[in-house]
Amino acid sequence: MDAPTGLAEVFDAQAHIARIRRDGYTIIEGVLDAEGLTRFRAALAPFVGRWRGRNRFEGLKTERVYTLVARGKVFQEIAVDPRILAVVGGFLAPGFLLSASHAIAIHPGEAAQSLHFDDTFYPFPRPRAPLGISVIGAVDAFTPENGATIAIPASHAWGEDAVDRARRGDGNRIALTMPPGAAAVFAGTLVHGAGANRSDAVRLGYTNQYCQPWARTQENWFLGVPRERVAAMAPSLQALLGYSLMAPFMGEVSGSHPSKALSPDWVPPVVRQEG
């Protein structure tokens, strides 16, 4: 997938794609500007302060707000940012989907997350091309003290023992330090994990993850996002949520394009029970 028209003049998607191919990750600065960061915090505010992780992987002192893309316009804009999509399109087939979208607030005292890779649930042996591409964006600055993501460069190319190797200490662990508004984009095969928050402040960020158009998404958008809300979204985001087809007809609804289901006049096909 080429960069959108005019984008190449101000954003070198191919350079970021090349970095991911070499190192497993890249960092794009300025995905959110100062106004965007303010809008992000304001849109998230009604949903915070309610929940903590259920296990050590989610983070017992970490707050997550799932289905983020359905909770505010700013979150929708991030998910379809043309710079992000241009880089993701360098690895995934046309028609790729949004797999997960949530905010992550790591509170002081949180322990480091276990090392892992994000597309581990797709049962294909390593080494292999990534079946997902992940984005982790900084709303607060990411620092080594407040839980910046820890990554092992080049581990995206390791074999089946990648996680074991990383946990034994192979490779060079680095903290993905970022200023507010920046985002790390990385291969779903890159070994990484959230760092420990040893500071006295919450570290707020978000993640959007994308997957191949034939793969099952982590979040079930059809049940998680009301159709009337999807109908008001940009067509590009509707497609990312699965209201699209993978050629020739994967994703059809009783022989029709799924986007037709977003019409207020659409009536679900009736399946009569026989017998």
Side-chain angles (χ1 to χ4, degrees):
M1 173 175 162
D2 294 329
T5 303
L7 183 62
E9 299 175 6
V10 295
F11 178 75
D12 190 350
Q14 293 304 317
H16 288 285
I17 290 169
R19 290 188 197 107
I20 295 173
R21 293 194 190 284
R22 182 190 66 204
D23 300 327
Y25 74 96
T26 190
I27 293 177
I28 302 173
E29 296 201 6
V31 174
L32 284 173
D33 59 14
E35 179 188 7
L37 291 167
T38 299
R39 292 173 59 214
F40 187 105
R41 293 182 186 279
L44 188 66
F47 306 105
V48 300
R50 304 178 183 180
W51 187 86
R52 291 290 186 276
R54 294 161 289 191
N55 51 59
R56 291 187 63 83
F57 186 81
E58 283 186 318
L60 299 176
K61 295 182 179 180
T62 295
E63 188 170 7
R64 294 173 185 262
V65 179
Y66 289 96
T67 322
L68 188 65
V69 72
R71 301 181 188 273
K73 187 72 171 178
V74 64
F75 309 129
Q76 298 175 26
E77 294 167 359
I78 295 168
V80 295
D81 184 287
R83 296 162 294 183
I84 298 294
L85 297 187
V87 175
V88 173
F91 297 90
L92 304 182
F96 59 81
L97 301 172
L98 184 67
S99 182
S101 175
H102 53 272
I104 306 172
I106 299 180
H107 287 251
E110 180 62 278
Q113 187 183 43
S114 60
L115 294 173
H116 64 283
F117 59 98
D118 280 347
D119 67 3
T120 183
F121 35 74
Y122 298 126
F124 295 90
R126 298 174 57 116
R128 57 168 169 77
L131 302 176
I133 297 293
S134 295
V135 177
I136 292 180
V139 179
D140 295 319
F142 278 32
T143 72
E145 292 74 35
N146 74 359
T149 301
I150 303 300
I152 293 85
S155 61
H156 66 302
W158 292 358
E160 283 287 274
D161 62 345
V163 172
D164 289 338
R165 285 184 58 182
R167 290 175 180 174
R168 289 197 305 264
D170 287 3
N172 179 33
R173 295 190 186 192
I174 64 168
L176 298 183
T177 58
M178 295 187 283
V185 184
F186 54 92
T189 49
L190 182 75
V191 181
H192 69 285
N197 189 346
R198 300 183 298 273
S199 75
D200 58 2
V202 175
R203 188 227 74 183
L204 179 60
Y206 65 88
T207 183
N208 287 325
Q209 299 180 20
Y210 303 83
C211 66
Q212 293 285 18
W214 48 262
R216 183 169 182 171
T217 59
Q218 295 174 61
E219 296 198 57
N220 188 323
W221 309 117
F222 304 114
L223 294 177
V225 188
R227 274 196 302 131
E228 59 271 19
R229 188 166 299 180
V230 179
M233 294 178 176
S236 57
L237 184 53
Q238 293 172 353
L240 283 173
L241 295 183
Y243 292 84
S244 54
L245 289 177
M246 177 184 171
F249 45 69
M250 286 182 69
E252 53 89 8
V253 179
S254 293
S256 297
H257 195 287
S259 64
K260 293 182 179 180
L262 298 175
S263 169
D265 301 324
W266 183 75
V267 178
V270 175
V271 179
R272 290 187 174 88
Q273 183 174 353
E274 298 295 335

